[in-house]
Structures are given as structure tokens and as C-alpha cells.
């Protein structure tokens, strides 16, 4: 079983749609959680950290359920520029630890 | 503000050859991690260097080795290249301590033929 699992998609949605991505992780001792965005043939870039209380950044909302070991990302009012691969990432040991990436979920927003 | 710099950007090697990839961390960062990203997959952790020592290692064979220099820059060496080593190799730098965050370089795309 992979440590971090995501549905690879692709998710094809029209502009303005709301789309949700989910992710599960296997290590209950995991400490930090993130969503990264990766454009085609580019490096991953931090989209947002994920906190137990849930957090929002503009059109993006992230949720963490530690009991279910489940992380989600909601994108509202999708833009063409949101088209990318979204990587669910877990870190078990703070900044001394490795980042564990999911396979990524591909989003294609169409006009 | 210089971010993470990796070189070269692209590389083509033949099976059995050896390769060295280089990484200069973001200014002020002292920790360097290397990741391998195969096509269609998420990045996989290779190892992490701090204070010129390998601090953690992922599930990669001994053909993968590295080094960190006193100026915090790092090298990744891969010996006896296999076709399956073809991937995007990413370097991430960070500052040791609580979650200060990681900065990724744009990667080196290695093709083994």
C-alpha cells in the first residue's frame, strides 16, 4: 500500500466549476500536511499547508481529518490557470524529515 | 533572491555510465534533499544532507550517492545507469529546524538510452 494515495484523475471541469480532490495517508504519526501544485514539466510548488482546523486561501480550501487520515482540497470558481497536477504531501518529522508525495491528481479546466 | 539552482537542466546518458547532478540551495538554507520523479508519478525521496552528512535515505540502491559541501551545495551521483533511472531529479532546500518549508529547484531531466 502506498503511504499517500490519490486518485490520479484526470478531472476535466468547465471554468467556474467547483472541484474537490481527496487523499489518504497511512502513517498515523504524520505531522505536517501540504498540497503542492506542479505544472507540466516544472518543479512542485507549495500551494498551501493543511491544518486540522481547516484553512482557506482565496478560492482554495484544505481540510484534514486525522481520525480518518484523510486530506482534501476544494477549488471554487475554477480558472483555466488552475489546470495542473495537485500533489498531496505528508511530512513525518518536521523539517528533518522527508516529504512523502502522492501520485498527484491532474486537473484540466476547460473554457 | 536566488532560489534553488540545479545543473544541468537536461542530460542524456547511456546505460552503464555514471552521472553527477548539482544543486545550489536557496540563500540561507542549510539542508538539501534529493527526489526522483518518474513520468506520471509523484516525487520519491532519495536522501537528505545536513552538515555534510547523509541524514536520511529513501529506498534507493547504493548506486545512488551524494555529497554536501561546506557551502551547503550538493551533488547527486548515480553509477551504472539503468533505463529505469530516466526521470526528473529534483533538489529541495530547507532550513533545519521546525517547518520552515522546502524550496524546489526546477530539476534535471535525465534520459538514459
Amino acid at each position: 500500500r502506498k503511504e499517500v494515495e490519490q486518485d490520479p484523475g484526470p478531472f476535466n471541469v468547465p471554468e467556474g466549476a467547483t472541484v474537490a480532490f481527496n487523499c489518504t495517508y497511512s502513517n498515523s504519526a504524520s505531522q505536517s500536511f501540504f498540497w503542492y501544485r506542479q505544472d507540466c514539466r516544472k518543479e512542485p510548488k507549495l500551494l498551501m499547508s493543511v491544518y486540522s482546523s481547516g484553512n482557506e486561501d482565496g478560492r482554495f480550501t484544505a481540510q484534514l481529518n486525522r481520525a480518518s487520515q484523510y486530506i482534501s482540497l476544494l477549488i471554487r470558481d475554477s480558472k483555466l490557470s488552475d489546470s495542473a497536477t495537485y500533489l498531496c504531501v505528508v511530512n513525518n518529522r518536521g523539517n528533518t524529515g522527508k516529504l512523502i508525495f502522492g501520485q498527484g491528481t491532474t486537473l484540466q479546466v476547460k473554457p | 533572491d536566488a532560489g534553488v539552482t540545479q545543473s544541468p537542466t537536461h542530460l542524456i546518458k547511456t546505460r552503464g555510465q555514471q552521472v553527477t547532478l548539482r544543486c545550489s540551495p536557496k540563500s540561507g538554507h542549510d539542508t538539501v534533499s534529493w527526489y526522483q520523479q518518474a513520468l506520471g508519478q509523484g516525487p520519491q525521496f532519495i536522501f537528505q544532507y545536513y552538515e555534510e552528512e547523509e541524514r536520511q535515505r529513501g529506498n534507493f540502491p547504493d548506486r545512488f550517492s551524494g555529497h554536501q559541501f561546506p557551502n551547503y551545495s550538493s551533488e547527486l551521483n548515480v553509477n551504472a545507469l539503468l533505463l529505469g533511472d530516466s526521470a526528473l531529479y529534483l533538489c529541495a532546500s530547507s532550513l533545519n529546524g521546525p517547518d520552515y518549508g522546502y524550496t524546489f529547484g526546477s530539476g534535471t531531466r535525465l534520459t538514459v538510452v
Side-chain angles (χ1 to χ4, degrees), chain B residues 1 9 15-16 36 46 49 59 69 75 77 82 85 91 93:
Chain B
D1 176 26
T9 54
R15 273 181 301 177
Q36 179 196 65
I46 303 175
Y49 277 84
N59 188 25
F69 300 93
E75 288 182 349
N77 301 292
L82 304 173
D85 295 331
C91 171
S93 74

Side-chain angles (χ1 to χ4, degrees), chain A residues 26-67:
Chain A
S26 61
N27 187 344
S28 59
S30 298
Q31 296 182 358
S32 306
F33 309 88
F34 311 93
W35 283 101
Y36 275 72
R37 170 190 170 131
Q38 186 171 29
D39 293 297
C40 188
R41 303 180 77 83
K42 302 277 190 175
E43 74 274 22
K45 292 186 178 177
L46 179 64
L47 179 65
M48 58 196 303
S49 300
V50 187
Y51 304 111
S52 297
S53 55
N55 49 299
E56 188 174 305
D57 183 1
R59 297 181 293 108
F60 298 84
T61 301
Q63 295 277 354
L64 167 64
N65 184 322
R66 284 187 181 270

Side-chain angles (χ1 to χ4, degrees), chain B residues 72-110:
Chain B
Y72 308 119
S73 67
S74 177
E75 288 182 349
L76 163 65
N77 301 292
V78 187
N79 295 322
L81 285 166
L82 304 173
L83 296 179
D85 295 331
S86 296
L88 179 67
Y89 288 84
L90 295 161
C91 171
S93 74
S94 57
L95 182 62
N96 187 55
D99 287 324
Y100 288 119
Y102 295 78
T103 301
F104 280 85
S106 55
T108 294
R109 189 164 298 280
L110 172 65

Side-chain angles (χ1 to χ4, degrees), chain B residues 3 19 31-32 36 56 64 81 85-87 98:
Chain B
V19 68
T31 303
V32 173
Q36 179 196 65
Q56 277 199 84
F64 290 77
L81 285 166
D85 295 331
S86 296

